[in-house]
Amino acid sequence: MIQEEIAEQVKEVIQEDIWGAIKDFLEYEIFHLGEKKPIVLTVGLLLFVIVVLIVTSVFLRFLKRIITRKMENQDKQKFESVFSFSKYFVYLIVIFFALDSIGFNITGVFAASAALLVGVGLALQTFIQDILSGIFIFMDKTVHVGDIIEIDDKIGRVEEIKLRTTRTVTIDNKVLIIPNHKYLTSTLYNWTQNGTLTRESVSVGVAYGSDTKLVKELLIKAAESNSYVLKNPAPLVLFTDFADSSLNFKLVFTISDSFIAHIPKSEIRFEIDRLFRENKVQIPFPQRVVTLLKEKE
């Protein structure tokens, strides 16, 4: 009986020592700042923050899986880009609320880091603009992968849209990286937002006195002979101007891929030059008539 009581007392002492050691470990101060309203970071708080982050991470993954379950691949990629950026704000907010709920001095943290946050915000101003612009692109669907866009006199086919940049490939097969804030500060032309078909044109002038009906027929023939030009809608010719040295015409035609528009335009110009030579249609150059007046003796 006495042995059992001694064993029980020893057990209680050991348990008290263990719990005391655990308590001391959890209350061990890793960081201490200030005197009146100190900011104290203990091992217990650190472990608590880690547990909160793990729980939040599991919840966010579950939420993302539910939301993206029925999304198309393109929309899913856009959502994941925005989600990967937004989740860090969620982590930050959750940590602040968790620490505040257990009495951690959040006000002191804000006061100590206010100047630092202002400095970081100014330094990352352009970066933040890129991020926000990327979110706007995803939301209003201004640009899609595969679109042909023109911005700041640069033309490219969109290959990838990220949260901060857009990756495009130019006609010369060069990679063009566009910061997303450019969409807010520059005029954007989306050549293919209304579809892949685009209307292109080639302008040409002929000499005064030329048979305009023949010119129209030759221009139509040059367009219809090109494999890139669609038969429907049919090419048309516009008589645009009586210029100083020429009669000006515009040949308008439709192609299915505006990204290679420079190729059919070049081929059509070659064909126009050949047809004009065969049919004696002259392409004039600027002329000036100079009249010399003889002085009277």
Side-chain angles (χ1 to χ4, degrees), residues 31-47:
F31 180 80
H32 187 108
L33 179 65
E35 296 297 334
K36 294 183 178 180
K37 294 182 178 181
I39 301 173
V40 181
L41 177 62
T42 63
V43 174
L45 283 176
L46 183 60
L47 293 176

Side-chain angles (χ1 to χ4, degrees), residues 9 36 47-48 88 121 136 155 170 176 201 215 224 243 264:
Q9 291 177 358
K36 294 183 178 180
L47 293 176
F48 177 74
Y88 295 109
F136 291 149
I155 301 170
T170 66
L176 177 65
S201 65
V215 171
E224 291 179 341

Side-chain angles (χ1 to χ4, degrees), residues 155-173:
I155 301 170
R157 189 194 300 275
V158 178
E159 297 291 332
E160 185 179 14
I161 303 175
K162 296 183 178 180
L163 201 57
R164 195 182 68 83
T165 59
T166 298
R167 180 178 177 272
T168 63
V169 177
T170 66
I171 297 173
D172 301 323
N173 200 31

Side-chain angles (χ1 to χ4, degrees), residues 199 216 219-220 223 233-238 250-253:
R199 301 282 277 180
K216 179 179 179 180
L219 292 176
I220 294 292
L236 62 91
V237 175
L238 302 176
K250 177 184 284 187
L251 172 62
V252 183
F253 51 91

Side-chain angles (χ1 to χ4, degrees), residues 141-144 146-149 189-199 254-256 258:
K141 298 183 179 181
T142 304
V143 179
H144 299 82
D147 285 353
I148 299 173
I149 62 172
Y189 295 94
N190 192 327
W191 290 12
T192 53
Q193 190 171 40
N194 292 331
T196 58
L197 302 182
T198 57
R199 301 282 277 180
T254 304
I255 62 175
S256 60
S258 58

Side-chain angles (χ1 to χ4, degrees), residues 282-294:
Q282 295 184 355
I283 299 177
F285 52 87
Q287 300 180 14
R288 295 290 184 269
V289 177
V290 179
T291 304
L292 298 179
L293 299 178
K294 186 179 180 180

Side-chain angles (χ1 to χ4, degrees), residues 24-73:
D24 293 339
F25 174 73
L26 294 176
E27 292 179 350
Y28 178 78
E29 295 184 1
I30 301 175
F31 180 80
H32 187 108
L33 179 65
E35 296 297 334
K36 294 183 178 180
K37 294 182 178 181
I39 301 173
V40 181
L41 177 62
T42 63
V43 174
L45 283 176
L46 183 60
L47 293 176
F48 177 74
V49 169
I50 293 173
V51 171
V52 168
L53 287 176
I54 293 174
V55 173
T56 304
S57 179
V58 172
F59 173 76
L60 290 176
R61 288 182 183 179
F62 177 73
L63 182 64
K64 183 179 74 171
R65 187 176 302 175
I66 292 177
I67 295 176
T68 59
R69 184 172 50 188
K70 296 183 179 180
M71 282 186 176
E72 297 180 359
N73 289 333

